[in-house]
Amino acid sequence: MLPTTRNATPRHRFPKVRFSKTIAATVAGTLMSLSLPALAADLEEIQERGYMEVATEDNYAPFNFIEGDNAKGFNADMLEELRDYADFEVRQEILPWTGLLAAVSNDQYDMALTGASVSDERLRVFNYTPPYASAQHFAIKRADDDSISDVDDLSDKQVGVQAGSVLLSRLPELEAMLEEDGGALGEVVQYESYPEAFADLANGRLDYVIDSAVPVNTLVASKPDVFAKGPAVSGAGYVSWPIPKDSPELLEYMSGFLEHLKENGRLAELQEKWFGESFPDLPEKPLTSVDQFHELAGLDD
């Protein structure tokens, strides 16, 4: 049984973090942009102009990725469903993850149609549609690494995470788990994309990588001789679509779209297709506040 972190006090100082100046500048810019008021168009303006602009990414399987010349993944299929459902055009632009949410918050796009985990920081800028996948975090290790079997084994080991991701904001949970038994969080290495982190893990330049449940399962299933699923390193989490705070009608519209797919069975079909399971017990309402998120995820302030 994993140590509980529900009553732990989060700490925001971490051990040495190594990443390039380019990534550092990108992360800083992202955080500054996320602090700005959201200015994206709400539903009435979208309907008047006749189109909605959504931002997606292309390097985060199984949510969004490129196969040959074609966009694939859960959100690629959901985009096609949305185009059939909507009475306006839905335009898509593919962006690097590190700048995607900042672009949405800066009025360049109406929403992010991607695999974005819910976090305290993001909930201060965005509302989220009802979750469509779990985002509990797990360690990923090399398949032949017998030194990692539970959380305590991660103490002082080097960990890789994606720059600007929710994984960073929830590292205090892992830190608290380790400290409970006298351990410590090791060096945190940030990467622009997860494939880079997985390559370093496979080559022995990292001890483990942290990612959320769905991509972990997908990676391990696709490369069982290279990677293995390690212990859970966070409490409950959720994946959903971020929509700027000043677009409540668009939030209601997209929540209705998800409910439509749930009622006709299409949502469960796409979850099974891309995630290997459906998620019938996820919250059914939009996530709009930190307090609401903490209550649903079983987190204490």
Side-chain angles (χ1 to χ4, degrees):
M1 181 176 181
L2 296 176
T4 178
T5 62
R6 290 186 60 184
N7 298 317
T9 301
R11 289 179 19 177
H12 299 285
R13 294 185 63 189
F14 298 103
K16 177 183 176 184
V17 178
R18 170 169 61 82
F19 52 100
S20 71
K21 292 181 179 178
T22 300
I23 295 177
T26 302
V27 173
T30 299
L31 293 176
M32 290 178 63
S33 297
L34 287 179
S35 67
L36 297 173
L39 302 172
D42 205 357
L43 182 63
E44 183 177 357
E45 181 180 338
I46 290 170
Q47 291 173 325
E48 288 178 354
R49 73 189 184 200
Y51 64 90
M52 177 170 69
E53 293 184 306
V54 302
T56 70
E57 56 181 318
D58 65 356
N59 203 15
Y60 193 39
F63 296 101
N64 306 80
F65 63 99
I66 299 296
E67 187 174 87
D69 295 326
N70 300 313
K72 295 287 186 178
F74 174 84
N75 281 307
D77 283 354
M78 291 294 278
L79 178 60
E80 293 309 309
E81 294 290 337
L82 178 59
R83 285 171 169 157
D84 290 339
Y85 176 85
D87 56 359
F88 45 79
E89 181 185 357
V90 182
R91 300 178 181 178
Q92 171 200 22
E93 185 161 344
I94 298 173
L95 304 176
W97 166 252
T98 48
L100 192 152
L101 294 185
V104 175
S105 73
N106 284 332
D107 196 27
Q108 297 177 49
Y109 305 93
D110 298 308
M111 63 170 290
L113 197 80
T114 192
S117 297
V118 178
S119 73
D120 292 6
E121 294 80 5
R122 292 174 185 171
L123 278 168
R124 296 186 178 101
V125 180
F126 301 103
N127 292 322
Y128 277 80
T129 59
Y132 59 75
S134 169
Q136 186 174 26
H137 300 159
F138 289 84
I140 307 165
K141 63 176 186 174
R142 288 182 294 278
D144 60 357
D145 185 357
D146 297 327
S147 71
I148 296 176
S149 60
D150 58 31
V151 169
D152 290 345
D153 296 329
L154 303 177
S155 181
D156 293 318
K157 285 184 166 62
Q158 193 177 58
V159 55
V161 296
Q162 186 179 47
S165 71
V166 168
L167 283 301
L168 289 169
S169 68
R170 295 190 69 171
L171 276 178
E173 293 179 60
L174 173 57
E175 187 176 28
M177 290 180 184
L178 293 168
E179 290 181 347
E180 185 170 306
D181 290 328
L185 186 65
E187 181 184 5
V188 179
V189 185
Q190 299 187 34
Y191 290 83
E192 187 170 357
S193 69
Y194 268 109
E196 295 174 277
F198 296 144
D200 274 4
L201 176 61
N203 293 327
R205 290 190 286 269
L206 284 175
D207 295 311
Y208 67 105
V209 172
I210 294 176
D211 204 349
S212 58
V214 169
V216 169
N217 292 342
T218 300
L219 176 70
V220 171
S222 66
K223 298 181 178 180
D225 295 333
V226 182
F227 302 110
K229 189 175 184 177
V233 296
S234 81
Y238 308 107
V239 181
S240 178
W241 297 324
I243 295 176
K245 287 283 188 184
D246 64 351
S247 298
E249 293 178 359
L250 180 57
L251 176 67
E252 182 178 359
Y253 183 86
M254 293 303 298
S255 298
F257 165 63
L258 283 168
E259 181 62 26
H260 165 73
L261 294 186
K262 185 176 181 180
E263 289 178 351
N264 68 19
R266 184 59 173 157
L267 179 60
E269 288 178 7
L270 293 179
Q271 288 171 328
E272 290 281 356
K273 174 183 176 180
W274 292 109
F275 307 150
E277 61 178 308
S278 59
F279 299 98
D281 298 325
L282 291 174
E284 297 181 353
K285 294 182 179 180
L287 304 182
T288 59
S289 73
V290 172
D291 288 343
Q292 179 195 19
F293 170 49
H294 281 208
E295 182 177 358
L296 290 169
L299 299 171
D300 290 337
D301 293 335

